[in-house]
């Protein structure tokens, strides 16, 4: 009798044992398949995060070089001055045209004095706040901060929703070489300024020279100043195109800071290298910020690693369980095996019969696994993802030491004047939270089915190999005499 036919007859005759093996094999394959599809979903999500995380590369003045030049000039002159280096806009735009750069934001800052309107002043204690008339025309630092940007939508304060347009429009790249500005709501309402009005400011270097600015938008700032210094209130920050501050400071065609946002965070190192070669200046430092990318990527890596462990642990445990069951089954079938061997049946055929029995059960178990695997994988994967994201955000917040941690007060590299640096960590965490995947897109692909079938075959093959040791040691004479 053909051993393949014997395996079919045995399975139909031993219905209880066959059903038990089917349930055990199905449970093993369900968890193996769940691990495979969770792992595939995590890989897909990692690729998505890589493209959408928004890793940034900032080009800004090298402070060490600035102070070194100041000390050098101070030895020749009694006056200590810090000169902010600039780089041509042509180089910055060339770097921005790299295929890995999604968009970039050039920023320049200048200080002027209010002329046709009053600034907003902030005082502490019981003195209260109010308006400061005009500006200190002879001051070296004005009471109005001009933040020049490529687009206000690309600044950290607007991205984090700390600032938002309430009337009119944003500053865009089309405003280059214009005198269009966006002013704060408090400053506008206190002076009765509306969209379309013209305001006048005076240069700090020459109190007599005036510049007329056209208001194209009004924004609302959530943050407030804790300083009573003139012009320190966020309401005194005016946004305009990056070309206007350069005109005020006499650096036309040049800029001091630019932030590049990458389309693929995995290309951060190579892009940084290319930007450095384009800028080619020791007066500037090129630094990257992939905190948001890492914060989004870590949960994906954890889910992927956990899914891999599921596959291997279940596969190993399944092999051991099936091996033990087959060994016990062989002991109860010793007489059957002894008779077959005494009749001239090859031991390899008997081992093949055991493999065939398990293979038939494997086919049925795969059908059950395909029906239940996606459901189990979806539940386990999304619960694990939510847990990993919560852990990641908590650890990031703790490492930053609270809101604003790690920011440099007064930084304006990404826009926002006096408020830019203090909000860097908050905006990064907020951005990462918004971009974080809420669910894993788990699905059964043809490659998953192939992997499942391969793992199933390996499991039953190893289980049969373990039990084959006892079969090969059996001698039919000893079996029949023992009976």
């Amino acid at each position: 009798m053909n051993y393949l036919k014997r395996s079919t007859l045995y399975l139909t005759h031993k219905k209880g044992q066959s059903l038990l093996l089917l349930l055990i094999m199905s449970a093993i394959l369900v968890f193996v398949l769940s691990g495979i599809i969770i792992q595939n979903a995590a890989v897909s999500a990692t690729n998505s995060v890589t493209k959408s995380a928004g890793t940034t590369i900032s080009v800004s003045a090298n402070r060490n070089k600035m102070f070194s030049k100041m000390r050098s000039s101070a030895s020749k002159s009694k006056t200590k001055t810090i000169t902010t280096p600039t780089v041509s806009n042509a180089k910055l735009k060339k770097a921005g045209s790299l295929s890995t750069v999604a968009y970039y934001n050039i920023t320049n800052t200048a200080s002027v004095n209010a002329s046709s309107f009053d600034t907003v002043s902030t005082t502490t204690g019981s003195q209260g706040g109010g308006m400061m008339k005009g500006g200190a025309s002879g001051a070296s630092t004005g009471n109005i901060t001009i933040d020049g940007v490529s687009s206000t939508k690309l600044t950290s304060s607007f991205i984090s929703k700390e600032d938002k347009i309430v009337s009119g429009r944003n500053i865009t790249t089309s405003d280059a070489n214009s005198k269009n500005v966006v002013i704060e709501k408090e400053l506008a309402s206190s002076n009765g300024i509306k969209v379309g009005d013209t305001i006048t400011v005076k240069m700090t270097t020459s109190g007599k020279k005036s510049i007329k600015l056209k208001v194209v938008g009004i924004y609302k700032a959530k943050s407030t100043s804790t300083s009573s210094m003139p012009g320190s209130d966020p309401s005194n920050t005016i946004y305009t195109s990056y070309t206007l501050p350069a005109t005020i400071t006499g650096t036309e065609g040049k800029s001091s800071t630019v932030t590049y946002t990458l389309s693929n965070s995995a290309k951060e190192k190579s892009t940084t290298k290319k930007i450095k070669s384009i800028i080619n200046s020791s007066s500037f430092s090129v630094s990257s910020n992939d905190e948001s990318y890492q914060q989004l990527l870590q949960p994906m890596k954890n889910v992927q690693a956990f899914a891999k462990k599921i596959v291997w642990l279940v596969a190993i445990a399944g092999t051991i369980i099936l091996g033990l069951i087959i060994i016990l089954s062989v002991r109860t079938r010793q007489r059957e095996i002894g008779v077959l061997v005494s009749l001239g049946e090859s031991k390899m055929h008997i081992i093949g019969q055991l493999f065939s029995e398990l293979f038939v059960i494997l086919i049925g178990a795969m059908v059950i696994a395909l029906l239940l695997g996606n459901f189990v994988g979806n539940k386990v994967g999304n619960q694990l993802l939510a847990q990993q994201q919560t852990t990641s955000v908590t650890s990031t917040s703790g490492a930053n030491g609270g809101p604003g941690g790690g920011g440099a007060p007064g930084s304006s590299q990404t826009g926002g004047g006096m408020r830019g640096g203090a909000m860097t960590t908050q905006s990064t965490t907020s951005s990462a939270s918004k971009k974080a995947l809420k669910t894993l897109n788990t699905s059964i692909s043809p490659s998953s089915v192939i992997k499942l079938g391969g793992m199933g075959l390996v499991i039953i093959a190893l289980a049969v190999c373990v039990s084959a040791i006892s079969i090969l040691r059996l001698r039919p004479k000893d079996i029949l005499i023992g009976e």
Side-chain angles (χ1 to χ4, degrees):
M1 184 183 292
N2 188 294
Y3 72 90
L4 294 176
K5 186 176 180 180
R6 286 201 307 268
S7 63
T8 304
L9 291 173
Y10 182 82
L11 290 174
T12 54
H13 181 67
K14 298 287 186 178
K15 294 183 177 63
Q17 183 175 320
S18 300
L19 181 60
L20 176 62
L21 285 172
L22 178 64
L23 292 176
I24 293 173
M25 180 64 77
S26 298
I28 293 170
L29 293 188
V30 164
F31 283 103
V32 169
L33 180 60
S34 298
I36 291 172
I37 63 177
I38 290 172
Q39 193 173 4
N40 291 342
V43 171
S44 177
T46 299
N47 294 333
S48 176
V49 164
T50 300
K51 295 179 180 179
S52 65
T55 293
T56 59
I57 298 176
S58 299
V59 178
S60 56
N62 188 322
R63 289 180 60 83
N64 292 332
K65 290 285 184 181
M66 288 171 59
F67 283 106
S68 178
K69 288 183 178 180
M70 181 196 72
R71 288 190 290 269
S72 177
S73 62
S75 62
K76 301 176 183 179
S77 172
K78 293 182 179 180
T79 305
K80 294 182 179 181
T81 57
I82 299 177
T83 303
T84 302
T86 55
V87 64
S88 67
N89 291 335
K91 286 186 176 181
L92 299 181
K93 291 178 180 179
K94 182 180 179 181
S97 65
L98 294 172
S99 60
T100 52
V101 176
Y103 54 86
Y104 60 95
N105 194 26
I106 300 175
T107 58
N108 279 323
T109 303
S111 184
V112 295
N113 286 308
S115 177
S116 64
F117 60 95
D118 298 329
T119 60
V120 175
S121 64
T122 303
T123 57
T124 57
S126 59
Q127 296 178 354
M131 302 297 294
M132 181 175 288
K133 188 68 177 177
S137 59
S140 58
T141 302
N143 51 20
I144 291 292
T145 299
I146 301 290
D147 261 357
V149 297
S150 297
S151 170
T152 47
K153 286 184 178 180
L154 304 181
T155 62
S156 63
S157 54
F158 276 84
I159 291 174
S160 63
K161 304 299 182 182
E162 288 295 314
D163 293 348
K164 62 179 181 179
I165 294 292
V166 293
S167 181
R169 64 174 178 84
N170 280 283
I171 293 294
T172 64
T173 53
S174 62
D175 290 306
N177 301 311
S178 74
K179 294 180 180 178
N180 296 334
V181 297
V182 172
I183 66 173
E184 208 277 325
K185 182 181 178 182
E186 190 64 34
L187 182 68
S189 60
S190 299
N191 290 278
I193 302 171
K194 298 180 180 179
V195 173
D197 290 351
T198 300
I199 59 176
T200 305
V201 295
K202 289 184 178 181
M203 305 238 329
T204 57
T205 54
S206 176
K208 294 181 179 180
K209 187 174 182 179
S210 299
I211 303 174
K212 290 186 178 181
L213 308 173
K214 183 180 179 180
V215 178
V216 297
I218 297 174
Y219 74 94
K220 173 66 177 175
K222 288 184 180 180
S223 59
T224 58
S225 175
T226 57
S227 172
S228 59
M229 293 294 291
S232 64
D233 193 278
S235 298
N236 297 321
T237 297
I238 294 177
Y239 287 102
T240 182
S241 174
Y242 65 92
T243 56
L244 182 58
T247 301
I248 294 173
T249 58
T251 57
E252 292 89 342
K254 298 180 179 180
S255 299
S256 57
T257 307
V258 62
T259 302
Y260 300 99
T261 301
L262 305 187
S263 56
N264 189 337
S265 296
K267 302 292 183 180
E268 175 261 323
K269 289 185 179 179
S270 60
T271 306
T272 300
K273 187 176 180 180
K274 290 178 182 178
I275 291 175
K276 284 183 178 179
S277 65
I278 293 172
I279 302 300
N280 192 26
S281 174
S282 60
S283 298
F284 284 85
S285 61
V286 181
S287 59
S288 61
N289 179 11
D290 63 347
E291 185 179 342
S292 176
Y293 171 57
Q294 294 299 334
Q295 188 175 335
L296 292 170
L297 186 62
Q298 192 57 47
M300 296 298 102
K301 286 184 176 180
N302 293 341
V303 171
Q304 194 172 341
F306 184 80
K308 189 175 182 179
K309 289 178 181 178
I310 288 178
V311 173
W312 283 108
L313 289 175
V314 172
I316 293 171
T319 302
I320 294 172
I321 293 170
L322 286 177
L324 292 174
I325 291 175
I326 296 175
I327 290 172
L328 293 175
S329 175
V330 168
R331 287 187 177 182
T332 61
R333 299 171 67 179
Q334 283 189 4
R335 180 172 179 78
E336 174 192 347
I337 295 172
V339 171
L340 289 172
V341 173
S342 63
L343 293 174
E345 186 68 271
S346 167
K347 288 184 179 180
M348 294 305 298
H349 279 184
I350 295 173
I351 295 173
Q353 178 182 335
L354 292 176
F355 183 83
S356 300
E357 292 170 3
L358 286 181
F359 182 77
V360 173
I361 292 173
L362 173 64
I363 299 300
M366 281 190 64
V367 174
I368 296 174
L370 291 174
L371 294 174
L372 301 178
N374 194 42
F375 174 78
V376 175
N378 183 57
K379 292 293 184 182
V380 174
N382 286 311
Q383 185 175 357
L384 181 62
L385 176 63
Q387 180 182 353
Q388 291 297 329
Q389 286 179 341
T390 302
T391 303
S392 177
V393 172
T394 302
S395 61
T396 301
S397 300
N400 289 331
S411 168
S412 60
Q413 291 181 6
T414 56
M418 298 291 288
R419 297 164 289 123
M423 289 164 47
T424 302
T425 302
Q426 285 179 314
S427 61
T428 300
T429 303
S430 176
S431 176
S433 298
K434 290 178 181 178
K435 294 177 182 177
L437 292 175
K438 304 302 180 185
T439 57
L440 278 177
N441 184 22
T442 57
S443 60
I444 300 175
S445 62
S447 62
S448 300
V449 178
I450 294 172
K451 287 181 181 178
L452 178 65
M455 291 292 292
L457 286 173
V458 170
I459 290 171
I460 64 173
L462 290 175
V464 170
C465 287
V466 171
S467 61
I469 298 173
S470 60
I471 295 176
L472 294 174
R473 293 174 60 187
L474 291 175
R475 291 192 303 175
K477 181 180 178 180
D478 295 336
I479 296 172
L480 295 176
I481 291 175
E483 289 293 329

